[in-house]
Amino acid sequence: MSELFDAVDALIASRSPLPPPAERKRLRQAHGLTLDEVAAALQVRRATVSGWEAGKTEPRPPERDAYARMLKQLAQLYPAGAPVPPEDTAIPKTPAVPAAAPSAVEPAQARTAPTGPAAKPANTVLRPAAPAAVPRPATKKAAPASTTVGGADPRFEHGPLAVVDVADGQVLAYCVGGLVLDVPAKSIPALVEWTLSEGRFGQPKLSGPGKDADPLIVLTEVACEYYGLPVTLTQQERLAGRLPEGHKVIKQLTRAHWQLTKRGFGPWARIYRPAQGAERSCVQLCIPSWDALDTRHWAGAGQLPPAELARLLGMYAARVMTPRGSTAVTGLELMTALHPPTRASEPDATGRRHSEHNPGSLGKDPVDCAPCEAPDGHPLLARLPRFHHRTPAEVLVEEAYDWARPLTDAECLHPHLVGIDVNMAFAAGANGLTVGLGAPTHVKNPVFDSKLPGSWLVDLSHVDLSRVKLAKEWTDLDGELLPSPFTPKGDRPEGPAWYATPTVAYAVELGYDVRPIEAYVRHDNGRYLDAWYNRLRDAYLATMADLGVGADLPPEEFLAAMDGYRQRDPQLAIVVSAIKATVKGGIGKLRERPRGEGWKPGQPWRALARPTWRPDIRAAVISRTRINMHRKIVKHAAFTGQYPVAILSDCAVYASDGPSPLDFLPYRDGKPLPGGFKLGINPGLVKHEGTQSVLWGEEVRERFNAPELNLARYIKDGTVTDVDNGE
């Protein structure tokens, strides 16, 4: 008889009365409860409770009875009409992006199934769950993340993106946070419509005058087949970077009045209709099997299961922004998102607002660069003879270091070559840098001003590195063992040449007078890249903290934490690589070169129409990055008498008695040399790049008959390929 009573109780509980969805949310907020707290008490996922409050799903036994009991008690404490405190979403600063997909998915509309055996209906479609995240070592201080994924804005309830896959004929959208949605769309136009009308995907704008991020839909190989797209592009399509205009999917989009951007239907396709007022109708597609996720930066992300790929891209979107294309494109778009070109004006006499220039931005119209800043083939150089080779006095050449020298006899007696690498070097170079915002002004015989960004024609051949001023005192060095700070190859200048402001300012810092012959300066200037640097720095530090490498670790603990950090969570390690590629690629995009399309020298190319085509900003960042490296090298040499044997961009190689950076970096009581190299994860600090033997270095140079082969290029693992000995 007791079993019958239990069955009756269970039947009654399965129909426990529940208040309307809006009332459920009000009661939770009234008591100051977060979604996470309710989910933990009921032993379900956070998204499950969110679905109950949104009315998308209804709880089932045994959670239903407990949920009804909680709401009944809250209703007694907070009757209808009682004031409700502000919502406390309690979303952690490091966004919670679970690795596991839902264990069950109902095949109707959006579904968030409760966990546990009792929650499985008979018609559930089972999906394999992603493996749980590998436990990470504790850190002393976790760096903050910049934003959150979903949840904070009801318009984007399901996060910034979804990975669409097909299983057993059913189309499923795997969202950030483990949510899985059913997709009724049977064509690409219908998928775009569903994304905009029902998907609730997107990301809030990063700046007040900016725009919300458009939804991103990632299509798996199976989804491509389902929607009539090729799984891979042909060689001709890869070269063109898009499908041919006559493809059936493009015709479907045209019939449905959707448009494609000029890049067409490629690996990163943008599908839109012209904006109606402030309302945007735009969806971006990402197709990994078309090489949308470059393996140099995203490793094997394109081969991950849908739920894991959604987690990885969602983490990147939360900490950087929703990808807009390659990491380089995204890096450039992030600059614009943080400094939109226009803003709404104050109301005029009729109360209307108008679009006006947003101070501190690059504006909405491109500006011409100075002739010395223009790369070969630029329209400003059309008057030059066809095969004219510009000299340093005609062209600004600010590039990263690629310098090496033979080892001295004393250095050959050391057993090891140790490489150290500057973290996020180009990001550190952008931090606090004043750059031009407007067009250049040409000046003859100017007085150098280190606070005025621009390009300067000046003779720096008189700067002697054997005697420099450090801390206001002259110091003697072995100048033959140091690269020149003024050229990428480390050669001493032979006469007047064009330099960016940071390079010329460093010559003054070293104690030498400079007398520019002419200059192109930008009086309209500002620290345009500060917000960009801060966001990427926070993204990098937060992800490294998740991988067990925290900021402010003592040197020994830092080196131990860096050892094998990628294996702790390979997906997060991919995010780290993508963040670093976003920095380098974004800076590189500031001087994007022609990309086919029938371009001929002297003609404009598409990138020139962008306000963000700014070779002067790129030159300033690279100049400052190279100078930062040289300043540390000089400080280190003055204090220790040690000189680098090779430098490649942000990596320097030293001969050492031991295999660790601590064997040659001058730490005293755990404190580094002021102004020198310091071990740590923050941008501008250094990590261990790799160690090889001195015998290895000499053998490689002898084998390839290259006495000045740049060993920094191969120090990481010792593998030597693609050797260029200068012949």
Side-chain angles (χ1 to χ4, degrees), residues 467-483:
R467 186 166 176 78
V468 298
K469 187 175 285 187
L470 298 178
K472 300 183 179 180
E473 294 183 1
W474 288 96
T475 302
D476 293 327
L477 299 170
D478 190 339
E480 297 296 323
L481 301 181
L482 284 171

Side-chain angles (χ1 to χ4, degrees), residues 121-274:
N123 60 351
T124 291
V125 179
L126 298 179
R127 302 290 295 159
V134 179
R136 307 179 185 104
T139 59
K140 290 187 176 181
K141 179 181 177 182
S146 307
T147 188
T148 57
V149 178
D153 192 324
R155 297 173 301 157
F156 312 127
E157 182 180 356
H158 298 146
L161 56 90
V163 179
V164 174
D165 191 34
V166 181
D168 299 325
Q170 185 177 9
V171 185
L172 303 172
Y174 291 81
C175 310
V176 176
L179 181 70
V180 181
L181 306 177
D182 286 316
V183 182
K186 298 187 181 299
S187 66
I188 290 294
L191 177 63
V192 173
E193 295 278 5
W194 173 84
T195 300
L196 294 172
S197 61
E198 302 179 38
R200 299 188 186 179
F201 299 114
Q203 192 173 31
K205 57 189 177 183
L206 298 179
S207 175
K211 299 176 182 178
D212 297 326
D214 297 320
L216 173 64
I217 299 297
V218 184
L219 299 178
T220 65
E221 294 184 7
V222 181
C224 286
E225 291 180 330
Y226 182 88
Y227 287 118
L229 294 169
V231 173
T232 58
L233 297 178
T234 65
Q235 182 177 2
Q236 183 176 0
E237 290 167 347
R238 284 199 304 272
L239 292 175
R242 64 181 72 189
L243 291 178
E245 293 298 322
H247 194 278
K248 64 178 181 179
V249 171
I250 297 179
K251 292 180 179 179
Q252 292 172 359
L253 290 168
T254 302
R255 287 195 297 268
H257 306 292
W258 288 105
Q259 300 180 30
L260 292 163
T261 57
K262 290 183 179 180
R263 78 171 91 175
F265 202 120
W268 292 92
R270 295 189 66 78
I271 304 172
Y272 72 99
R273 286 179 180 144

Side-chain angles (χ1 to χ4, degrees), residues 359-619:
S361 75
L362 298 181
K364 63 179 182 179
D365 298 316
V367 297
D368 282 336
C369 63
C372 63
E373 297 164 352
D376 291 341
H378 191 280
L380 287 175
L381 309 177
R383 60 179 175 79
L384 294 177
R386 183 175 180 185
F387 296 106
H388 176 73
H389 177 72
R390 291 190 289 169
T391 66
E394 296 175 289
V395 59
L396 175 71
V397 182
E398 293 284 11
E399 300 294 343
Y401 266 131
D402 185 356
W403 169 87
R405 63 170 176 82
L407 274 69
T408 65
D409 292 342
E411 288 168 339
C412 288
L413 297 178
H414 294 291
H416 302 286
L417 293 173
V418 181
I420 51 176
D421 180 79
V422 180
N423 295 312
M424 301 273 282
F426 293 101
N431 182 30
L433 178 65
T434 300
V435 299
L437 301 178
T441 299
H442 187 217
V443 185
K444 286 284 189 178
N445 298 315
V447 176
F448 177 69
D449 184 351
S450 62
K451 297 181 180 179
L452 192 59
S455 300
W456 309 78
L457 179 61
V458 58
D459 188 351
L460 299 180
S461 60
H462 63 290
V463 177
D464 184 3
L465 293 180
S466 62
R467 186 166 176 78
V468 298
K469 187 175 285 187
L470 298 178
K472 300 183 179 180
E473 294 183 1
W474 288 96
T475 302
D476 293 327
L477 299 170
D478 190 339
E480 297 296 323
L481 301 181
L482 284 171
S484 167
F486 309 127
T487 62
K489 290 293 185 180
D491 301 325
R492 186 168 180 168
E494 297 180 353
W498 286 98
Y499 302 102
T501 297
T503 303
V504 184
Y506 187 56
V508 176
E509 179 184 329
L510 293 177
Y512 291 86
D513 293 331
V514 297
R515 297 181 181 179
I517 302 168
E518 60 177 307
Y520 288 90
V521 297
R522 290 170 170 83
H523 297 287
D524 179 13
N525 54 66
R527 292 168 58 160
Y528 174 71
L529 295 173
D530 274 9
W532 183 81
Y533 162 78
N534 289 334
R535 188 164 181 84
L536 289 166
R537 175 204 61 196
D538 290 350
Y540 176 69
L541 293 181
T543 311
M544 290 302 295
D546 287 344
L547 285 165
V549 186
D552 303 326
L553 288 174
E556 296 81 0
E557 293 183 27
F558 168 72
L559 292 174
M562 286 294 295
D563 187 17
Y565 76 93
R566 291 181 174 276
Q567 283 67 50
R568 293 173 198 147
D569 189 327
Q571 291 179 26
L572 286 183
I574 294 175
V575 175
V576 170
S577 296
I579 292 170
K580 293 194 290 187
T582 303
V583 173
K584 288 187 177 182
I587 297 299
K589 272 283 184 179
L590 290 167
R591 199 190 69 165
E592 183 177 358
R593 304 299 301 275
R595 305 181 67 179
E597 301 177 343
W599 174 82
K600 294 181 180 179
Q603 296 179 346
W605 57 93
R606 193 195 313 174
L608 299 186
R610 292 194 321 248
T612 49
W613 193 84
R614 295 295 301 271
D616 56 299
I617 297 179
R618 173 188 178 273

Side-chain angles (χ1 to χ4, degrees), residues 652-698:
V653 176
Y654 282 85
S656 171
D657 286 330
S660 168
L662 289 175
D663 292 317
F664 71 92
L665 293 182
Y667 272 83
R668 288 185 177 179
D669 299 324
K671 295 182 179 180
L673 170 68
F677 295 111
K678 177 183 177 181
L679 290 167
I681 199 60
N682 283 285
L685 306 189
V686 299
K687 63 180 182 294
H688 183 203
E689 178 70 3
T691 297
Q692 303 298 328
S693 68
V694 167
L695 291 177
W696 164 85
E698 291 299 279

